[in-house]
Amino acid sequence: MDQSWMNARRISEEYEKGVLVFLQYVKENVKSVNRTYFCFCVRCVNQLRQDLGNLHDRLFMFGIMRTYTVWTWHGEVLDQPTTSRGTNYVEEWMSDHLEDMIRDVGEHNFGRANLYDSLINDSEQPLYPACLNFTRPSATLKLFSLKARNGWTDKSFTESLELLKDMLPENNTLPIHNYEAKKFFMSNGS
């Protein structure tokens, strides 16, 4: 989708047409939450939701966040490269480098002394016995990513976690509530 209008003056016809095309694209490609969408004006920076009318007005009043060039919050899907085996390259890389990422963050950056060791431990434990693809942290991060990309409410996320927990084999370590999933990364459940 053409994004050149983002750099045009807000009073220009090019900017106005670009905003209208963008809003139509959002309306057709993004599931709203109570008829609201993330606003990427310089004040909201994709943190606050607005209805389409307010979103339109704010893009003119405050201007657009020009660094937002991949519209992941507004229906644009990234083409992710795949490996020759056909798996998602990004997911494969994250799985292979989870320990490195945890080590890079470092023990000193965590709020609790045991968090670092706990995360290392959890990153080595399968989500359930005999699971080869996911650990508790990797599964929880992937689910949070889905939540964010699709605008799930905390309630819908909790309902999804509860359903998945019941679907997975016994003794799985998937968090069962949105709060528990967030707490896992904030304090690692301690």
Side-chain angles (χ1 to χ4, degrees):
M1 176 176 244
D2 177 33
Q3 297 179 352
S4 61
W5 61 271
M6 292 173 59
N7 296 313
R9 295 179 54 128
R10 284 185 264 163
I11 59 172
S12 71
E13 189 175 321
E14 178 186 5
Y15 188 85
E16 184 175 350
K17 284 181 181 177
V19 168
L20 293 175
V21 169
F22 166 75
L23 293 177
Q24 186 62 38
Y25 180 82
V26 168
K27 188 176 180 181
E28 293 171 359
N29 293 287
V30 180
K31 184 178 177 199
S32 70
V33 174
N34 296 326
R35 296 190 189 131
T36 64
Y37 305 88
F38 285 110
C39 177
F40 68 107
C41 76
V42 295
R43 290 213 176 155
C44 293
V45 293
N46 282 327
Q47 298 296 309
L48 300 175
R49 291 182 166 275
Q50 305 288 342
D51 62 42
L52 288 175
N54 283 333
L55 205 152
H56 173 272
D57 294 346
R58 294 179 76 80
L59 292 176
F60 282 93
M61 285 189 294
F62 305 117
I64 197 165
M65 191 173 67
R66 290 189 177 151
T67 57
Y68 182 51
T69 57
V70 180
W71 295 339
T72 53
W73 295 104
H74 297 94
E76 188 172 9
V77 178
L78 292 177
D79 291 331
Q80 295 183 341
T82 57
T83 64
S84 58
R85 292 181 300 249
T87 59
N88 184 303
Y89 175 77
V90 174
E91 290 178 5
E92 187 176 287
W93 185 90
M94 282 182 62
S95 295
D96 290 344
H97 293 86
L98 184 59
E99 186 177 320
D100 295 335
M101 289 185 282
I102 292 170
R103 187 176 53 251
D104 289 346
V105 170
E107 198 169 349
H108 62 281
N109 287 324
F110 291 100
R112 298 173 188 242
N114 67 343
L115 179 58
Y116 181 77
D117 291 334
S118 297
L119 278 174
I120 290 291
N121 251 358
D122 284 338
S123 72
E124 296 169 355
Q125 299 299 315
L127 182 61
Y128 55 87
C131 177
L132 302 176
N133 298 323
F134 296 100
T135 61
R136 185 177 191 194
S138 69
T140 305
L141 281 171
K142 288 178 192 297
L143 289 168
F144 266 124
S145 175
L146 280 174
K147 178 187 187 301
R149 284 186 308 196
N150 294 292
W152 295 350
T153 63
D154 288 349
K155 182 181 181 212
S156 67
F157 187 58
T158 292
E159 289 175 5
S160 298
L161 287 173
E162 289 170 348
L163 179 62
L164 287 170
K165 181 92 172 163
D166 287 342
M167 289 176 155
L168 290 171
E170 211 172 298
N171 299 324
N172 72 73
T173 59
L174 188 70
I176 196 165
H177 300 287
N178 179 58
Y179 172 77
E180 183 184 342
K182 284 181 182 177
K183 186 178 174 187
F184 172 72
F185 287 107
M186 300 305 282
S187 65
N188 200 36
S190 13

